[in-house]
Amino acid sequence: MPEPSPVPDARIAVDCHGIVKQFGEGPRALRALDNVSVAIRENEFFTLLGPSGCGKTTLLRMIAGFEYPTEGTIRLHGEDIAGLPPFKRPINTVFQSYALFPHLTVWENVAFGLQMLGWAKGKIEARVAEMLKLVHMEELAQRRTDQISGGQAQRVALARALAPAPKVLLLDEPLSALDYKLRKEMQIELKRMQSETGITFIFVTHDQEEALTMSDRIAVMSKGRVLQVGTPWDIYDKPAERFVADFIGETNFLSAAMVGIEEGVARVRLPSGIEISASLAEGYRPAGEATVVVRPEHARMVTTGGQLSGVVENIVYFGTDTHIHVKLDQGSTFMVRQQNSRSKSCGASVGDRVGIDIAPDAAQVLRD
Amino acid sequence: MASAAEIARRDEQSKTRTRWLLSLPALFIVFIAAIGPLFVMLAYSFMAKGDYGDVKPGEFSLDGWFSVLFQRDIFDDTVTLADAHLSILWRSVRLSVITTLATLALGFPTAYFIATRPRSTREVWVFLITIPFWTNLLIRTFAMQQVIRNEGVLNTLLMWLGIINEPIPIMYTDWAILFGMVYVYLPLMVLPLYASMEKLDFRLVEAGYDLYAGRLAVLRRIILPLVKPGIVAGSILVFVPSLGAYVIPRVLGGGKNLMLANLIELQFGAGRNWPLGAALSISLMLLVMVAMLVYVRNATRSGGGHG
């Protein structure tokens, strides 16, 4: 995936600064968000990614106005919106449950926000028609919301939230209720709508694959904190912390010893005694013991040589690729992902002694 | 050997028989204990009245039905509208409508409050609402009397606060009946309202706020349409017994402020006019049925076909 060039002077749409959210008081108080700061740029597809309970939905609800921060400020295009109720914020939400009004038709649902804004009748009709066309729901405009499928309800929720042309659209795990195939389709649809409308999308998900395929930038969250903000490429290839590396995709962790740092690149000694280069998070200068991560597809199984060696423990066939688990001589297990080719064999069988060749620039030192 | 179809048919038959057997007690109660007496009433209303109460069986007469709305002067036989009956009818309808509206106005916020409490405490609130049901209606009505009589709690309090100098006479007025009915029938409004509000998905309220609806718009456009079944049920549960209220107007309204049920009771008692009493009873029933039909039809029409 090509890395979108970062625009340093891009205008900031939503600026959350020093957000703390505490539920309850005293020793039983729960910190849902602990000093969170993120700046979301205009026209950006920004994703809050993390496991359930990491605070991503709480942050989203604060931007929407359903919760108020205990500490910190939220600015929309430079303007502090902390005191504004949700119905005065030019921000709309696609809810996880869609929250379509069951007593209204599809058409009335989409028109609701426009009616509340006091648009003229003709203008509302034109806008609703435009929105229903955007989500391919023109034919079902007069249906009641309990007479449409989950995927269709999802489209209606999207049309309803986009109709008032909000400055920012919030999406709270909108695809989680859809089946796999529909989810894939909607991911592409959402991306298309974001580029067509030019609206800033803030997307919440716990699905790392979804985050990687759709986002311009991702904020990885855990336990109320933002661990890393970056492009999908940054997050996947240059994870700064163990949690990020572990949560996104599959990773091999190797304990290594720091040898030295030259021009921002570390030399580390692997357990096998071989030294390799590994990239470092900017400004991070560790010494002594360190953890190095290598993605399974950035290593290759070789019959001789390689920086690591071990015995093939398990071979798992996945259709497009094969995972080979190698028990290293030092005890830990290392996984190699190998693209399948027309020739059936992966080149080894369980019990074989093999070497592992790590691609140059593939290793990354974690901030522990 | 019976074929599979034969066995299935027999099984179906025996199931049908069992169902009928099981429903016999219910059918017995409905027909003999509920609908039966209504036919007795209907028959009585078309009979001549006995000299000391009762009816003269077999003697057909329309006097009972005639007297519901009209009266014949005992000296010159001129027919005029029965003013007393009409004013009682008007009072019954008026007080019942006001009671329904007042319980709705008081019950709606109450039900909303309960429905928005945490799940664990909701049951406590519902329990508190049902406590008055444990006490006999008569006792509750006398308790209301203690509140509103001239030397009662309300007047004493108002005088002590210096808001009034002399007690406001509430007892034996329509106000007294109204206070009593609102107090007694309020739980019947709160409970069905709460039942439908508890099912209300409050995420829809959030969605409303998100789509630029202010608090009033959310109430009018989202909450009200969705809890309409509760409003309809609560209104019926309050309006019907209000229209037929007997104890409350008897105790709080005194001898002058009669409602329909008191008038009916009078005919079977001191009035010794059972045919009129029977005709009034059936009139009351028809009145309730017509009111319900009109109300439910209007409510469902404006509900956009939902609920």
Side-chain angles (χ1 to χ4, degrees), chain A residues 61 64 66 86-87 89-93 95 97 99-104 112-113 115-117 144 160-161 164 166, chain B residues 201 203-215 217-218 220-226 303-307:
Chain A
R61 288 173 59 78
F66 300 132
F87 50 88
R89 299 185 184 196
I91 295 173
N92 289 131
T93 309
F95 294 88
S97 57
L100 295 179
F101 303 126
H103 58 299
L104 301 179
F112 188 89
Q115 288 164 350
M116 291 298 124
L117 286 171
R144 281 215 336 241
R160 185 178 71 173
Chain B
D201 183 354
R203 287 174 295 192
L204 296 175
V205 174
E206 275 190 354
Y209 285 136
D210 190 64
L211 292 161
Y212 313 107
R215 287 182 182 83
V218 165
R220 213 170 54 80
R221 295 285 307 268
I222 296 165
I223 300 175
L224 280 181
L226 290 174
H306 188 82

Short mmCIF file of all heavy atoms in Angstrom, two decimals, chain A residues 61 64 66 86-87 89-93 95 97 99-104 112-113 115-117 144 160-161 164 166, chain B residues 201 203-215 217-218 220-226 303-307:
data_model
loop_
_atom_site.label_atom_id
_atom_site.label_comp_id
_atom_site.label_asym_id
_atom_site.label_seq_id
_atom_site.Cartn_x
_atom_site.Cartn_y
_atom_site.Cartn_z
N ARG A 61 -18.19 9.21 21.33
CA ARG A 61 -19.41 9.79 21.91
C ARG A 61 -19.16 11.20 22.43
O ARG A 61 -20.07 12.01 22.50
CB ARG A 61 -19.93 8.88 23.03
CG ARG A 61 -20.55 7.58 22.50
CD ARG A 61 -20.91 6.62 23.61
NE ARG A 61 -21.86 7.19 24.57
CZ ARG A 61 -23.15 7.30 24.34
NH1 ARG A 61 -23.65 6.88 23.20
NH2 ARG A 61 -23.95 7.84 25.23
N ALA A 64 -19.30 13.42 19.46
CA ALA A 64 -20.70 13.59 19.07
C ALA A 64 -21.45 14.49 20.05
O ALA A 64 -22.43 15.13 19.68
CB ALA A 64 -21.38 12.22 19.00
N PHE A 66 -22.49 13.23 23.25
CA PHE A 66 -23.30 12.43 24.17
C PHE A 66 -22.64 12.28 25.54
O PHE A 66 -23.28 11.92 26.51
CB PHE A 66 -23.57 11.03 23.59
CG PHE A 66 -24.31 11.08 22.29
CD1 PHE A 66 -23.88 10.35 21.21
CD2 PHE A 66 -25.45 11.86 22.15
CE1 PHE A 66 -24.55 10.40 20.00
CE2 PHE A 66 -26.13 11.92 20.94
CZ PHE A 66 -25.68 11.18 19.87
N PRO A 86 -25.44 17.79 21.52
CA PRO A 86 -25.26 17.10 20.23
C PRO A 86 -26.05 17.74 19.09
O PRO A 86 -25.58 17.77 17.96
CB PRO A 86 -25.74 15.68 20.50
CG PRO A 86 -26.21 15.63 21.89
CD PRO A 86 -25.79 16.87 22.59
N PHE A 87 -27.26 18.28 19.42
CA PHE A 87 -28.08 18.79 18.32
C PHE A 87 -27.62 20.16 17.82
O PHE A 87 -28.21 20.72 16.91
CB PHE A 87 -29.57 18.82 18.71
CG PHE A 87 -29.89 19.48 20.03
CD1 PHE A 87 -30.11 20.84 20.09
CD2 PHE A 87 -29.96 18.72 21.19
CE1 PHE A 87 -30.41 21.44 21.29
CE2 PHE A 87 -30.26 19.32 22.40
CZ PHE A 87 -30.48 20.69 22.45
N ARG A 89 -24.21 20.48 17.17
CA ARG A 89 -22.91 20.23 16.55
C ARG A 89 -23.10 19.77 15.10
O ARG A 89 -23.91 18.89 14.85
CB ARG A 89 -22.17 19.12 17.32
CG ARG A 89 -21.91 19.49 18.75
CD ARG A 89 -21.08 18.43 19.44
NE ARG A 89 -20.91 18.79 20.85
CZ ARG A 89 -20.00 18.26 21.65
NH1 ARG A 89 -19.21 17.33 21.20
NH2 ARG A 89 -19.92 18.65 22.91
N PRO A 90 -22.34 20.34 14.17
CA PRO A 90 -22.46 19.91 12.77
C PRO A 90 -21.74 18.58 12.54
O PRO A 90 -20.90 18.44 11.67
CB PRO A 90 -21.79 21.06 12.00
CG PRO A 90 -20.81 21.62 12.96
CD PRO A 90 -21.36 21.43 14.33
N ILE A 91 -22.10 17.61 13.38
CA ILE A 91 -21.46 16.30 13.36
C ILE A 91 -22.59 15.28 13.39
O ILE A 91 -23.52 15.43 14.17
CB ILE A 91 -20.57 16.12 14.62
CG1 ILE A 91 -19.41 17.11 14.59
CG2 ILE A 91 -20.08 14.69 14.73
CD1 ILE A 91 -18.58 17.12 15.86
N ASN A 92 -22.53 14.28 12.55
CA ASN A 92 -23.55 13.23 12.57
C ASN A 92 -22.92 11.88 12.82
O ASN A 92 -21.73 11.69 12.60
CB ASN A 92 -24.35 13.20 11.27
CG ASN A 92 -25.26 14.41 11.15
OD1 ASN A 92 -25.29 15.08 10.15
ND2 ASN A 92 -25.96 14.73 12.23
N THR A 93 -23.75 10.94 13.28
CA THR A 93 -23.24 9.64 13.70
C THR A 93 -23.98 8.52 12.98
O THR A 93 -25.19 8.59 12.80
CB THR A 93 -23.44 9.46 15.22
OG1 THR A 93 -22.92 10.60 15.89
CG2 THR A 93 -22.75 8.21 15.73
N PHE A 95 -24.76 4.93 13.95
CA PHE A 95 -24.68 4.16 15.18
C PHE A 95 -24.45 2.68 14.89
O PHE A 95 -24.83 2.17 13.84
CB PHE A 95 -25.97 4.32 15.99
CG PHE A 95 -26.18 5.72 16.49
CD1 PHE A 95 -26.83 6.67 15.71
CD2 PHE A 95 -25.70 6.10 17.73
CE1 PHE A 95 -27.01 7.96 16.17
CE2 PHE A 95 -25.88 7.39 18.19
CZ PHE A 95 -26.53 8.33 17.41
N SER A 97 -25.91 0.19 16.17
CA SER A 97 -27.19 -0.50 16.00
C SER A 97 -28.02 0.16 14.91
O SER A 97 -29.17 -0.17 14.74
CB SER A 97 -27.94 -0.46 17.31
OG SER A 97 -28.12 0.88 17.72
N ALA A 99 -29.85 2.52 14.83
CA ALA A 99 -30.82 3.40 15.50
C ALA A 99 -31.74 4.09 14.50
O ALA A 99 -31.99 5.29 14.61
CB ALA A 99 -30.10 4.43 16.39
N LEU A 100 -32.25 3.34 13.53
CA LEU A 100 -33.24 3.91 12.62
C LEU A 100 -34.55 4.05 13.37
O LEU A 100 -34.89 3.21 14.21
CB LEU A 100 -33.42 3.01 11.40
CG LEU A 100 -32.20 2.87 10.49
CD1 LEU A 100 -32.53 1.93 9.33
CD2 LEU A 100 -31.73 4.20 9.97
N PHE A 101 -35.32 5.11 13.05
CA PHE A 101 -36.58 5.32 13.75
C PHE A 101 -37.61 4.33 13.23
O PHE A 101 -37.98 4.37 12.05
CB PHE A 101 -37.07 6.76 13.54
CG PHE A 101 -36.07 7.78 13.99
CD1 PHE A 101 -35.64 8.79 13.15
CD2 PHE A 101 -35.53 7.72 15.27
CE1 PHE A 101 -34.70 9.72 13.56
CE2 PHE A 101 -34.58 8.64 15.68
CZ PHE A 101 -34.17 9.64 14.83
N PRO A 102 -38.11 3.42 14.09
CA PRO A 102 -38.97 2.35 13.60
C PRO A 102 -40.35 2.84 13.17
O PRO A 102 -41.05 2.13 12.46
CB PRO A 102 -39.08 1.40 14.80
CG PRO A 102 -38.78 2.24 15.99
CD PRO A 102 -37.83 3.31 15.52
N HIS A 103 -40.76 4.04 13.62
CA HIS A 103 -42.10 4.51 13.27
C HIS A 103 -42.09 5.33 11.98
O HIS A 103 -43.12 5.85 11.58
CB HIS A 103 -42.70 5.31 14.42
CG HIS A 103 -41.88 6.49 14.83
ND1 HIS A 103 -40.59 6.37 15.30
CD2 HIS A 103 -42.14 7.81 14.83
CE1 HIS A 103 -40.10 7.56 15.56
NE2 HIS A 103 -41.01 8.45 15.30
N LEU A 104 -40.93 5.47 11.36
CA LEU A 104 -40.83 6.27 10.15
C LEU A 104 -40.36 5.38 8.98
O LEU A 104 -39.73 4.36 9.20
CB LEU A 104 -39.83 7.42 10.35
CG LEU A 104 -40.12 8.39 11.48
CD1 LEU A 104 -39.01 9.44 11.56
CD2 LEU A 104 -41.46 9.07 11.30
N PHE A 112 -35.28 13.27 8.28
CA PHE A 112 -35.47 13.75 9.66
C PHE A 112 -34.54 14.91 10.03
O PHE A 112 -34.99 15.97 10.48
CB PHE A 112 -35.27 12.59 10.64
CG PHE A 112 -35.62 12.94 12.06
CD1 PHE A 112 -36.90 12.75 12.53
CD2 PHE A 112 -34.67 13.45 12.93
CE1 PHE A 112 -37.24 13.08 13.82
CE2 PHE A 112 -35.00 13.79 14.24
CZ PHE A 112 -36.29 13.59 14.68
N GLY A 113 -33.24 14.72 9.81
CA GLY A 113 -32.28 15.75 10.19
C GLY A 113 -32.51 17.05 9.44
O GLY A 113 -32.39 18.15 10.00
N GLN A 115 -35.40 18.11 8.22
CA GLN A 115 -36.61 18.75 8.76
C GLN A 115 -36.28 19.50 10.05
O GLN A 115 -36.74 20.61 10.28
CB GLN A 115 -37.68 17.69 9.02
CG GLN A 115 -38.29 17.14 7.75
CD GLN A 115 -39.06 15.85 7.98
OE1 GLN A 115 -39.00 15.26 9.05
NE2 GLN A 115 -39.78 15.42 6.96
N MET A 116 -35.44 18.87 10.87
CA MET A 116 -35.08 19.50 12.14
C MET A 116 -34.25 20.76 11.91
O MET A 116 -34.31 21.70 12.70
CB MET A 116 -34.29 18.52 13.01
CG MET A 116 -35.10 17.37 13.52
SD MET A 116 -36.44 17.93 14.59
CE MET A 116 -37.84 17.23 13.79
N LEU A 117 -33.50 20.79 10.82
CA LEU A 117 -32.71 21.97 10.50
C LEU A 117 -33.57 23.05 9.84
O LEU A 117 -33.10 24.16 9.61
CB LEU A 117 -31.55 21.60 9.57
CG LEU A 117 -30.39 20.84 10.22
CD1 LEU A 117 -29.43 20.34 9.16
CD2 LEU A 117 -29.65 21.72 11.21
N ARG A 144 -40.96 0.51 5.50
CA ARG A 144 -40.70 0.75 6.92
C ARG A 144 -39.36 0.12 7.25
O ARG A 144 -38.90 -0.79 6.57
CB ARG A 144 -41.81 0.11 7.76
CG ARG A 144 -43.05 0.95 7.80
CD ARG A 144 -43.78 0.89 9.14
NE ARG A 144 -43.51 -0.28 9.91
CZ ARG A 144 -44.47 -1.15 10.27
NH1 ARG A 144 -45.70 -0.95 9.90
NH2 ARG A 144 -44.16 -2.18 11.02
N ARG A 160 -28.89 8.81 6.16
CA ARG A 160 -29.49 9.72 7.13
C ARG A 160 -28.42 10.62 7.76
O ARG A 160 -28.65 11.81 7.97
CB ARG A 160 -30.20 8.90 8.22
CG ARG A 160 -30.95 9.74 9.21
CD ARG A 160 -31.66 8.90 10.24
NE ARG A 160 -30.72 8.27 11.17
CZ ARG A 160 -31.10 7.60 12.24
NH1 ARG A 160 -32.38 7.43 12.49
NH2 ARG A 160 -30.21 7.06 13.05
N ALA A 161 -27.27 10.03 8.06
CA ALA A 161 -26.21 10.81 8.71
C ALA A 161 -25.51 11.75 7.73
O ALA A 161 -25.02 12.80 8.12
CB ALA A 161 -25.21 9.87 9.36
N PRO A 164 -27.53 15.81 6.11
CA PRO A 164 -27.34 17.23 6.48
C PRO A 164 -25.95 17.76 6.14
O PRO A 164 -25.62 18.86 6.57
CB PRO A 164 -27.56 17.21 8.00
CG PRO A 164 -28.10 15.87 8.34
CD PRO A 164 -27.61 14.95 7.29
N PRO A 166 -22.78 16.94 7.19
CA PRO A 166 -22.04 17.33 8.39
C PRO A 166 -20.58 17.60 8.06
O PRO A 166 -20.08 17.16 7.03
CB PRO A 166 -22.17 16.09 9.28
CG PRO A 166 -22.30 14.95 8.32
CD PRO A 166 -23.07 15.50 7.15
N ASP B 201 -36.11 2.22 22.92
CA ASP B 201 -34.67 2.16 22.71
C ASP B 201 -34.12 3.58 22.82
O ASP B 201 -34.33 4.40 21.93
CB ASP B 201 -34.42 1.57 21.33
CG ASP B 201 -32.94 1.39 21.05
OD1 ASP B 201 -32.12 1.83 21.89
OD2 ASP B 201 -32.60 0.81 20.01
N ARG B 203 -31.34 4.69 22.43
CA ARG B 203 -30.39 5.05 21.39
C ARG B 203 -31.09 5.85 20.30
O ARG B 203 -30.48 6.66 19.62
CB ARG B 203 -29.75 3.79 20.80
CG ARG B 203 -28.76 3.15 21.77
CD ARG B 203 -28.26 1.85 21.24
NE ARG B 203 -29.34 0.87 21.14
CZ ARG B 203 -29.15 -0.42 20.92
NH1 ARG B 203 -27.95 -0.89 20.76
NH2 ARG B 203 -30.17 -1.25 20.85
N LEU B 204 -32.41 5.61 20.16
CA LEU B 204 -33.18 6.38 19.18
C LEU B 204 -33.28 7.84 19.63
O LEU B 204 -33.27 8.75 18.81
CB LEU B 204 -34.59 5.80 19.03
CG LEU B 204 -34.66 4.38 18.46
CD1 LEU B 204 -36.09 3.89 18.47
CD2 LEU B 204 -34.09 4.34 17.06
N VAL B 205 -33.34 8.05 20.93
CA VAL B 205 -33.36 9.41 21.47
C VAL B 205 -32.03 10.09 21.14
O VAL B 205 -32.00 11.23 20.69
CB VAL B 205 -33.62 9.37 22.99
CG1 VAL B 205 -33.49 10.76 23.58
CG2 VAL B 205 -34.99 8.78 23.27
N GLU B 206 -30.94 9.34 21.34
CA GLU B 206 -29.62 9.89 20.99
C GLU B 206 -29.53 10.20 19.51
O GLU B 206 -28.99 11.23 19.11
CB GLU B 206 -28.52 8.88 21.37
CG GLU B 206 -28.10 8.99 22.82
CD GLU B 206 -26.85 8.18 23.12
OE1 GLU B 206 -26.38 7.44 22.25
OE2 GLU B 206 -26.37 8.28 24.25
N ALA B 207 -30.06 9.29 18.69
CA ALA B 207 -30.05 9.51 17.24
C ALA B 207 -30.81 10.79 16.91
O ALA B 207 -30.41 11.55 16.04
CB ALA B 207 -30.65 8.31 16.51
N GLY B 208 -31.91 11.03 17.62
CA GLY B 208 -32.68 12.25 17.41
C GLY B 208 -31.87 13.50 17.73
O GLY B 208 -31.80 14.44 16.95
N TYR B 209 -31.20 13.47 18.90
CA TYR B 209 -30.35 14.60 19.27
C TYR B 209 -29.25 14.80 18.24
O TYR B 209 -28.89 15.92 17.88
CB TYR B 209 -29.70 14.37 20.64
CG TYR B 209 -30.63 14.53 21.80
CD1 TYR B 209 -30.64 13.62 22.85
CD2 TYR B 209 -31.51 15.61 21.88
CE1 TYR B 209 -31.49 13.76 23.93
CE2 TYR B 209 -32.36 15.77 22.95
CZ TYR B 209 -32.35 14.84 23.97
OH TYR B 209 -33.19 14.98 25.03
N ASP B 210 -28.71 13.69 17.76
CA ASP B 210 -27.61 13.76 16.79
C ASP B 210 -28.08 14.42 15.50
O ASP B 210 -27.30 15.08 14.83
CB ASP B 210 -27.12 12.34 16.50
CG ASP B 210 -25.83 12.33 15.70
OD1 ASP B 210 -24.83 12.82 16.23
OD2 ASP B 210 -25.84 11.86 14.55
N LEU B 211 -29.37 14.23 15.16
CA LEU B 211 -29.91 14.79 13.91
C LEU B 211 -30.62 16.12 14.18
O LEU B 211 -31.65 16.41 13.59
CB LEU B 211 -30.85 13.78 13.26
CG LEU B 211 -30.14 12.53 12.72
CD1 LEU B 211 -31.10 11.39 12.51
CD2 LEU B 211 -29.41 12.86 11.44
N TYR B 212 -30.07 16.90 15.09
CA TYR B 212 -30.46 18.31 15.29
C TYR B 212 -31.84 18.50 15.90
O TYR B 212 -32.41 19.58 15.80
CB TYR B 212 -30.36 19.09 13.97
CG TYR B 212 -29.05 18.82 13.25
CD1 TYR B 212 -29.01 18.04 12.11
CD2 TYR B 212 -27.87 19.31 13.76
CE1 TYR B 212 -27.81 17.77 11.48
CE2 TYR B 212 -26.67 19.05 13.14
CZ TYR B 212 -26.64 18.28 12.00
OH TYR B 212 -25.45 18.02 11.39
N ALA B 213 -32.43 17.45 16.49
CA ALA B 213 -33.70 17.62 17.17
C ALA B 213 -33.42 18.06 18.60
O ALA B 213 -32.63 17.43 19.30
CB ALA B 213 -34.49 16.32 17.16
N GLY B 214 -34.06 19.18 19.02
CA GLY B 214 -33.92 19.63 20.40
C GLY B 214 -34.74 18.75 21.32
O GLY B 214 -35.36 17.78 20.88
N ARG B 215 -34.78 19.08 22.61
CA ARG B 215 -35.46 18.21 23.57
C ARG B 215 -36.94 18.07 23.25
O ARG B 215 -37.50 16.98 23.30
CB ARG B 215 -35.26 18.75 24.98
CG ARG B 215 -33.85 18.51 25.46
CD ARG B 215 -33.59 18.98 26.87
NE ARG B 215 -32.19 18.72 27.18
CZ ARG B 215 -31.20 19.54 26.83
NH1 ARG B 215 -31.45 20.67 26.20
NH2 ARG B 215 -29.96 19.23 27.12
N ALA B 217 -38.46 18.54 20.35
CA ALA B 217 -38.66 17.82 19.08
C ALA B 217 -38.47 16.32 19.28
O ALA B 217 -39.19 15.52 18.71
CB ALA B 217 -37.70 18.35 18.03
N VAL B 218 -37.49 15.94 20.11
CA VAL B 218 -37.27 14.52 20.37
C VAL B 218 -38.49 13.93 21.08
O VAL B 218 -38.96 12.85 20.74
CB VAL B 218 -36.00 14.32 21.23
CG1 VAL B 218 -35.96 12.92 21.83
CG2 VAL B 218 -34.75 14.54 20.37
N ARG B 220 -41.61 15.02 20.92
CA ARG B 220 -42.78 15.04 20.05
C ARG B 220 -42.63 14.07 18.87
O ARG B 220 -43.56 13.37 18.52
CB ARG B 220 -42.98 16.47 19.53
CG ARG B 220 -44.42 16.88 19.30
CD ARG B 220 -44.50 18.37 19.03
NE ARG B 220 -43.62 18.76 17.95
CZ ARG B 220 -43.92 18.60 16.64
NH1 ARG B 220 -45.06 18.08 16.29
NH2 ARG B 220 -43.08 18.98 15.72
N ARG B 221 -41.43 14.05 18.27
CA ARG B 221 -41.26 13.29 17.04
C ARG B 221 -40.79 11.86 17.26
O ARG B 221 -40.93 11.02 16.38
CB ARG B 221 -40.26 14.02 16.13
CG ARG B 221 -40.74 15.37 15.63
CD ARG B 221 -41.78 15.23 14.54
NE ARG B 221 -41.33 14.36 13.47
CZ ARG B 221 -40.70 14.80 12.37
NH1 ARG B 221 -40.49 16.07 12.21
NH2 ARG B 221 -40.32 13.95 11.44
N ILE B 222 -40.17 11.59 18.41
CA ILE B 222 -39.62 10.24 18.60
C ILE B 222 -40.26 9.53 19.79
O ILE B 222 -40.83 8.45 19.65
CB ILE B 222 -38.09 10.31 18.76
CG1 ILE B 222 -37.49 10.83 17.45
CG2 ILE B 222 -37.52 8.93 19.07
CD1 ILE B 222 -36.08 11.28 17.56
N ILE B 223 -40.21 10.15 20.98
CA ILE B 223 -40.68 9.43 22.16
C ILE B 223 -42.20 9.22 22.11
O ILE B 223 -42.68 8.09 22.26
CB ILE B 223 -40.27 10.18 23.45
CG1 ILE B 223 -38.74 10.27 23.52
CG2 ILE B 223 -40.81 9.46 24.68
CD1 ILE B 223 -38.23 11.07 24.68
N LEU B 224 -42.96 10.29 21.86
CA LEU B 224 -44.42 10.15 21.86
C LEU B 224 -44.93 9.11 20.86
O LEU B 224 -45.71 8.25 21.24
CB LEU B 224 -45.10 11.51 21.64
CG LEU B 224 -45.19 12.40 22.88
CD1 LEU B 224 -45.91 13.70 22.55
CD2 LEU B 224 -45.91 11.70 24.02
N PRO B 225 -44.50 9.15 19.60
CA PRO B 225 -45.01 8.13 18.68
C PRO B 225 -44.65 6.71 19.12
O PRO B 225 -45.43 5.79 18.92
CB PRO B 225 -44.33 8.46 17.35
CG PRO B 225 -43.85 9.83 17.47
CD PRO B 225 -43.63 10.12 18.91
N LEU B 226 -43.49 6.55 19.74
CA LEU B 226 -43.06 5.20 20.08
C LEU B 226 -43.73 4.67 21.35
O LEU B 226 -43.85 3.46 21.52
CB LEU B 226 -41.53 5.15 20.24
CG LEU B 226 -40.76 5.31 18.92
CD1 LEU B 226 -39.28 5.41 19.17
CD2 LEU B 226 -41.06 4.14 17.99
N GLY B 303 -51.03 7.51 14.20
CA GLY B 303 -49.76 6.87 14.57
C GLY B 303 -48.96 6.40 13.38
O GLY B 303 -47.96 5.74 13.53
N GLY B 304 -49.42 6.70 12.16
CA GLY B 304 -48.68 6.31 10.97
C GLY B 304 -48.66 4.79 10.79
O GLY B 304 -47.74 4.25 10.20
N GLY B 305 -49.65 4.12 11.35
CA GLY B 305 -49.75 2.68 11.16
C GLY B 305 -48.81 1.88 12.02
O GLY B 305 -48.70 0.68 11.87
N HIS B 306 -48.12 2.53 12.93
CA HIS B 306 -47.18 1.76 13.75
C HIS B 306 -47.69 1.69 15.19
O HIS B 306 -48.25 2.63 15.70
CB HIS B 306 -45.81 2.42 13.73
CG HIS B 306 -44.76 1.59 14.40
ND1 HIS B 306 -44.14 0.56 13.75
CD2 HIS B 306 -44.27 1.61 15.65
CE1 HIS B 306 -43.31 -0.01 14.57
NE2 HIS B 306 -43.36 0.61 15.73
N GLY B 307 -47.39 0.56 15.83
CA GLY B 307 -47.77 0.42 17.25
C GLY B 307 -49.21 0.06 17.30
O GLY B 307 -49.96 0.53 18.08
#
